[in-house]
Every structure is written in structure tokens, then in C-alpha cells.
Amino acid sequence: MIVVLLGPPGAGKGTQGERIAASLGVPKLATGDVLRAAVKAGTKLGLDAKAYMDRGDLVPDAVILGIMKEALAAPAQANGVILDGVVRTVPQAEGLAQVVKELGTHVDVVLDFVIADELLVDRLSGRTTCETCQKPFTGMPVGTPCPNNDGGTLIRRKDDEPEAVRHRLTVYHAQTKPVLDWYVAQGANVQGINAVGSFDDVFARALKAVGR
Ligand code: AMP
């Protein structure tokens, strides 16, 4: 099953996506994770992407389409994949449709996490992230050793500073919101879920929306 997760930054796509993936027995692909790993490793991809990411801007479509093509071949052809933040512009949605078509498959569900902007600035500004495993945590100060005991330390992502968060929300409304309309116009199976509530409640809604 191929599931596209849509929704603003901080809506919970990452953590919920991980649990949905585990529950469906498929991998999760997050372009944000791929890009951050490239920045950390200092590869050309990372060097090209870093300035966009730090500002909270989108990395150019051509870069994302390259990652999609490379990363999707195996999982999309096997049991499927959960795509977290992979599709953020209409050209990316069109590109993904083409990639999966060439692989002989299609997007099964588009899951849209619905949450008000006001809740997101607080949520993201209070979030710290492990520099090693990239897991986000709330209520844990910068410098705390990662609770996963992977030797990493919790940091604040540059793009989780309040100014960058506000910019990311503006970018989301201008460039990613139209993706939802695009999928609706394509007749895709679009499921909106209320992303406000406990982790377990939102997870239950997400599972129901993907038909489990
Ligand atoms: P995320 O971890 O999903 O919040 O992504 C962090 C940053 O990576 C975003 O703010 C963008 O700069 C970049 N990024 C991740 N995925 C994409 C994408 N599909 N298109 C463009 N930029 C992306």
C-alpha cells in the first residue's frame, strides 16, 4: 500500500507515519530525513539543500524527484511505502504519479493531517530533535542525551525556530495546500483526519482512514 501523508509541518506526520508504517509492515520514506542525513554527511545533495532547509523554504522539485526515483523503486514494488513530506508541490505530485506508474503501481491513500496553524508554532518551537536518529521530542531541553540511547544529543532544528516555523507555514499554504486539491481533482482516495488529540487517538483515526 502506498500512502501519501500531507499536512503542515508539526502536524505529526513523522511520528504517526512511523507507527502506521510499522503497523502495515512497510517502510517509511521522509525526504526531510534523507536531506538532513545528506547535510550531516556533507554530500553534494546536502550542500545544495542546506540553505533552503535552514530558511524553511522548499528544496527544488528536481532534487526531490531525484530522491523519489532512487528511493521508491524497491519499496513501491514490494509491499508499499509511507511517504512522509515527500510530496509538497503539484509538480512533485505529478512526478510521483509518473514514478509509481512506471513501477506498475499507484498511490492508494492520501492522508491529510488537519490542524490549525496557531497550534503548530508552539508545537514546533517546543520540539527538540536527536541529531543522530532524528526523532523529535517535546518537553526535553537542548543538550539532553537522546532517550533512545543512540549516543546522540537533542538539538533544536534551525527550521524549528519560531520565525522559520512561520515561514514554513506560509510556504505550506502557498505550495503544498494546492497538492490536496490536485489529488481531489484526480479522484484520489483523500482522507482528512483531525490531527489534534492524543497520539493514540490520532493513530486510531489514521489507521481507520487507511482502511485498517
Ligand atoms: P521535514 O523534516 O519534513 O519538516 O522537512 C524539512 C525540510 O526539508 C523542509 O522544510 C524542506 O526545506 C525540505 N524538504 C523535505 N521534503 C521536501 C519536499 N518534498 N520538497 C521540498 N523540500 C523538502
Side-chain angles (χ1 to χ4, degrees), residues 142-155:
V142 168
T144 308
C146 176
N148 286 342
N149 288 323
D150 57 11
T153 302
L154 303 191
I155 54 159

mmCIF file with all atom_site columns, all heavy atoms in Angstrom, residues 142-155:
data_model
loop_
_atom_site.group_PDB
_atom_site.id
_atom_site.type_symbol
_atom_site.label_atom_id
_atom_site.label_alt_id
_atom_site.label_comp_id
_atom_site.label_asym_id
_atom_site.label_entity_id
_atom_site.label_seq_id
_atom_site.pdbx_PDB_ins_code
_atom_site.Cartn_x
_atom_site.Cartn_y
_atom_site.Cartn_z
_atom_site.occupancy
_atom_site.B_iso_or_equiv
_atom_site.pdbx_formal_charge
_atom_site.auth_seq_id
_atom_site.auth_comp_id
_atom_site.auth_asym_id
_atom_site.auth_atom_id
_atom_site.pdbx_PDB_model_num
ATOM 1  N N   . VAL A 1 142 ? 17.326 21.230 24.874 1.00 0.00 ? 142 VAL A N   1
ATOM 2  C CA  . VAL A 1 142 ? 18.510 21.051 24.029 1.00 0.00 ? 142 VAL A CA  1
ATOM 3  C C   . VAL A 1 142 ? 19.654 20.543 24.907 1.00 0.00 ? 142 VAL A C   1
ATOM 4  O O   . VAL A 1 142 ? 19.822 21.002 26.037 1.00 0.00 ? 142 VAL A O   1
ATOM 5  C CB  . VAL A 1 142 ? 18.890 22.418 23.397 1.00 0.00 ? 142 VAL A CB  1
ATOM 6  C CG1 . VAL A 1 142 ? 20.261 22.369 22.760 1.00 0.00 ? 142 VAL A CG1 1
ATOM 7  C CG2 . VAL A 1 142 ? 17.839 22.858 22.398 1.00 0.00 ? 142 VAL A CG2 1
ATOM 8  N N   . GLY A 1 143 ? 20.416 19.579 24.405 1.00 0.00 ? 143 GLY A N   1
ATOM 9  C CA  . GLY A 1 143 ? 21.574 19.079 25.159 1.00 0.00 ? 143 GLY A CA  1
ATOM 10 C C   . GLY A 1 143 ? 21.286 17.783 25.894 1.00 0.00 ? 143 GLY A C   1
ATOM 11 O O   . GLY A 1 143 ? 22.205 17.100 26.347 1.00 0.00 ? 143 GLY A O   1
ATOM 12 N N   . THR A 1 144 ? 19.991 17.413 26.018 1.00 0.00 ? 144 THR A N   1
ATOM 13 C CA  . THR A 1 144 ? 19.640 16.150 26.683 1.00 0.00 ? 144 THR A CA  1
ATOM 14 C C   . THR A 1 144 ? 20.145 14.988 25.827 1.00 0.00 ? 144 THR A C   1
ATOM 15 O O   . THR A 1 144 ? 20.006 15.020 24.607 1.00 0.00 ? 144 THR A O   1
ATOM 16 C CB  . THR A 1 144 ? 18.089 16.029 26.805 1.00 0.00 ? 144 THR A CB  1
ATOM 17 O OG1 . THR A 1 144 ? 17.595 17.214 27.410 1.00 0.00 ? 144 THR A OG1 1
ATOM 18 C CG2 . THR A 1 144 ? 17.674 14.811 27.608 1.00 0.00 ? 144 THR A CG2 1
ATOM 19 N N   . PRO A 1 145 ? 20.720 13.943 26.462 1.00 0.00 ? 145 PRO A N   1
ATOM 20 C CA  . PRO A 1 145 ? 21.087 12.761 25.662 1.00 0.00 ? 145 PRO A CA  1
ATOM 21 C C   . PRO A 1 145 ? 19.818 12.130 25.085 1.00 0.00 ? 145 PRO A C   1
ATOM 22 O O   . PRO A 1 145 ? 18.773 12.128 25.737 1.00 0.00 ? 145 PRO A O   1
ATOM 23 C CB  . PRO A 1 145 ? 21.744 11.825 26.687 1.00 0.00 ? 145 PRO A CB  1
ATOM 24 C CG  . PRO A 1 145 ? 22.084 12.692 27.858 1.00 0.00 ? 145 PRO A CG  1
ATOM 25 C CD  . PRO A 1 145 ? 21.100 13.826 27.871 1.00 0.00 ? 145 PRO A CD  1
ATOM 26 N N   . CYS A 1 146 ? 19.901 11.609 23.877 1.00 0.00 ? 146 CYS A N   1
ATOM 27 C CA  . CYS A 1 146 ? 18.716 11.033 23.229 1.00 0.00 ? 146 CYS A CA  1
ATOM 28 C C   . CYS A 1 146 ? 18.163 9.879  24.069 1.00 0.00 ? 146 CYS A C   1
ATOM 29 O O   . CYS A 1 146 ? 18.909 8.968  24.441 1.00 0.00 ? 146 CYS A O   1
ATOM 30 C CB  . CYS A 1 146 ? 19.071 10.527 21.832 1.00 0.00 ? 146 CYS A CB  1
ATOM 31 S SG  . CYS A 1 146 ? 17.681 9.713  21.032 1.00 0.00 ? 146 CYS A SG  1
ATOM 32 N N   . PRO A 1 147 ? 16.852 9.903  24.370 1.00 0.00 ? 147 PRO A N   1
ATOM 33 C CA  . PRO A 1 147 ? 16.248 8.824  25.161 1.00 0.00 ? 147 PRO A CA  1
ATOM 34 C C   . PRO A 1 147 ? 16.388 7.450  24.494 1.00 0.00 ? 147 PRO A C   1
ATOM 35 O O   . PRO A 1 147 ? 16.217 6.430  25.142 1.00 0.00 ? 147 PRO A O   1
ATOM 36 C CB  . PRO A 1 147 ? 14.774 9.227  25.259 1.00 0.00 ? 147 PRO A CB  1
ATOM 37 C CG  . PRO A 1 147 ? 14.753 10.692 24.998 1.00 0.00 ? 147 PRO A CG  1
ATOM 38 C CD  . PRO A 1 147 ? 15.892 10.973 24.071 1.00 0.00 ? 147 PRO A CD  1
ATOM 39 N N   . ASN A 1 148 ? 16.694 7.431  23.202 1.00 0.00 ? 148 ASN A N   1
ATOM 40 C CA  . ASN A 1 148 ? 16.888 6.138  22.526 1.00 0.00 ? 148 ASN A CA  1
ATOM 41 C C   . ASN A 1 148 ? 18.275 5.552  22.761 1.00 0.00 ? 148 ASN A C   1
ATOM 42 O O   . ASN A 1 148 ? 18.606 4.498  22.214 1.00 0.00 ? 148 ASN A O   1
ATOM 43 C CB  . ASN A 1 148 ? 16.690 6.289  21.010 1.00 0.00 ? 148 ASN A CB  1
ATOM 44 C CG  . ASN A 1 148 ? 15.237 6.452  20.665 1.00 0.00 ? 148 ASN A CG  1
ATOM 45 O OD1 . ASN A 1 148 ? 14.369 6.134  21.463 1.00 0.00 ? 148 ASN A OD1 1
ATOM 46 N ND2 . ASN A 1 148 ? 14.960 6.953  19.474 1.00 0.00 ? 148 ASN A ND2 1
ATOM 47 N N   . ASN A 1 149 ? 19.095 6.276  23.569 1.00 0.00 ? 149 ASN A N   1
ATOM 48 C CA  . ASN A 1 149 ? 20.438 5.783  23.896 1.00 0.00 ? 149 ASN A CA  1
ATOM 49 C C   . ASN A 1 149 ? 21.283 5.470  22.660 1.00 0.00 ? 149 ASN A C   1
ATOM 50 O O   . ASN A 1 149 ? 21.974 4.451  22.625 1.00 0.00 ? 149 ASN A O   1
ATOM 51 C CB  . ASN A 1 149 ? 20.351 4.513  24.768 1.00 0.00 ? 149 ASN A CB  1
ATOM 52 C CG  . ASN A 1 149 ? 19.885 4.856  26.161 1.00 0.00 ? 149 ASN A CG  1
ATOM 53 O OD1 . ASN A 1 149 ? 20.263 5.905  26.696 1.00 0.00 ? 149 ASN A OD1 1
ATOM 54 N ND2 . ASN A 1 149 ? 19.031 4.032  26.729 1.00 0.00 ? 149 ASN A ND2 1
ATOM 55 N N   . ASP A 1 150 ? 21.198 6.339  21.649 1.00 0.00 ? 150 ASP A N   1
ATOM 56 C CA  . ASP A 1 150 ? 21.999 6.080  20.447 1.00 0.00 ? 150 ASP A CA  1
ATOM 57 C C   . ASP A 1 150 ? 23.260 6.941  20.432 1.00 0.00 ? 150 ASP A C   1
ATOM 58 O O   . ASP A 1 150 ? 23.945 7.040  19.413 1.00 0.00 ? 150 ASP A O   1
ATOM 59 C CB  . ASP A 1 150 ? 21.155 6.327  19.184 1.00 0.00 ? 150 ASP A CB  1
ATOM 60 C CG  . ASP A 1 150 ? 20.576 7.742  19.141 1.00 0.00 ? 150 ASP A CG  1
ATOM 61 O OD1 . ASP A 1 150 ? 20.992 8.587  19.954 1.00 0.00 ? 150 ASP A OD1 1
ATOM 62 O OD2 . ASP A 1 150 ? 19.696 7.990  18.296 1.00 0.00 ? 150 ASP A OD2 1
ATOM 63 N N   . GLY A 1 151 ? 23.535 7.586  21.575 1.00 0.00 ? 151 GLY A N   1
ATOM 64 C CA  . GLY A 1 151 ? 24.744 8.405  21.663 1.00 0.00 ? 151 GLY A CA  1
ATOM 65 C C   . GLY A 1 151 ? 24.533 9.819  21.143 1.00 0.00 ? 151 GLY A C   1
ATOM 66 O O   . GLY A 1 151 ? 25.412 10.664 21.260 1.00 0.00 ? 151 GLY A O   1
ATOM 67 N N   . GLY A 1 152 ? 23.347 10.095 20.578 1.00 0.00 ? 152 GLY A N   1
ATOM 68 C CA  . GLY A 1 152 ? 23.057 11.429 20.048 1.00 0.00 ? 152 GLY A CA  1
ATOM 69 C C   . GLY A 1 152 ? 22.584 12.373 21.144 1.00 0.00 ? 152 GLY A C   1
ATOM 70 O O   . GLY A 1 152 ? 22.237 11.952 22.247 1.00 0.00 ? 152 GLY A O   1
ATOM 71 N N   . THR A 1 153 ? 22.586 13.657 20.814 1.00 0.00 ? 153 THR A N   1
ATOM 72 C CA  . THR A 1 153 ? 22.145 14.696 21.742 1.00 0.00 ? 153 THR A CA  1
ATOM 73 C C   . THR A 1 153 ? 20.962 15.412 21.104 1.00 0.00 ? 153 THR A C   1
ATOM 74 O O   . THR A 1 153 ? 20.896 15.520 19.877 1.00 0.00 ? 153 THR A O   1
ATOM 75 C CB  . THR A 1 153 ? 23.306 15.701 21.955 1.00 0.00 ? 153 THR A CB  1
ATOM 76 O OG1 . THR A 1 153 ? 24.420 14.976 22.454 1.00 0.00 ? 153 THR A OG1 1
ATOM 77 C CG2 . THR A 1 153 ? 22.940 16.788 22.936 1.00 0.00 ? 153 THR A CG2 1
ATOM 78 N N   . LEU A 1 154 ? 20.028 15.898 21.938 1.00 0.00 ? 154 LEU A N   1
ATOM 79 C CA  . LEU A 1 154 ? 18.880 16.623 21.380 1.00 0.00 ? 154 LEU A CA  1
ATOM 80 C C   . LEU A 1 154 ? 19.280 18.051 21.023 1.00 0.00 ? 154 LEU A C   1
ATOM 81 O O   . LEU A 1 154 ? 19.909 18.742 21.817 1.00 0.00 ? 154 LEU A O   1
ATOM 82 C CB  . LEU A 1 154 ? 17.714 16.634 22.364 1.00 0.00 ? 154 LEU A CB  1
ATOM 83 C CG  . LEU A 1 154 ? 17.199 15.265 22.834 1.00 0.00 ? 154 LEU A CG  1
ATOM 84 C CD1 . LEU A 1 154 ? 15.879 15.420 23.585 1.00 0.00 ? 154 LEU A CD1 1
ATOM 85 C CD2 . LEU A 1 154 ? 17.030 14.297 21.665 1.00 0.00 ? 154 LEU A CD2 1
ATOM 86 N N   . ILE A 1 155 ? 18.925 18.450 19.812 1.00 0.00 ? 155 ILE A N   1
ATOM 87 C CA  . ILE A 1 155 ? 19.216 19.805 19.334 1.00 0.00 ? 155 ILE A CA  1
ATOM 88 C C   . ILE A 1 155 ? 17.896 20.466 18.907 1.00 0.00 ? 155 ILE A C   1
ATOM 89 O O   . ILE A 1 155 ? 16.883 19.782 18.786 1.00 0.00 ? 155 ILE A O   1
ATOM 90 C CB  . ILE A 1 155 ? 20.158 19.774 18.102 1.00 0.00 ? 155 ILE A CB  1
ATOM 91 C CG1 . ILE A 1 155 ? 19.554 18.862 17.016 1.00 0.00 ? 155 ILE A CG1 1
ATOM 92 C CG2 . ILE A 1 155 ? 21.551 19.299 18.460 1.00 0.00 ? 155 ILE A CG2 1
ATOM 93 C CD1 . ILE A 1 155 ? 20.072 19.136 15.643 1.00 0.00 ? 155 ILE A CD1 1
#
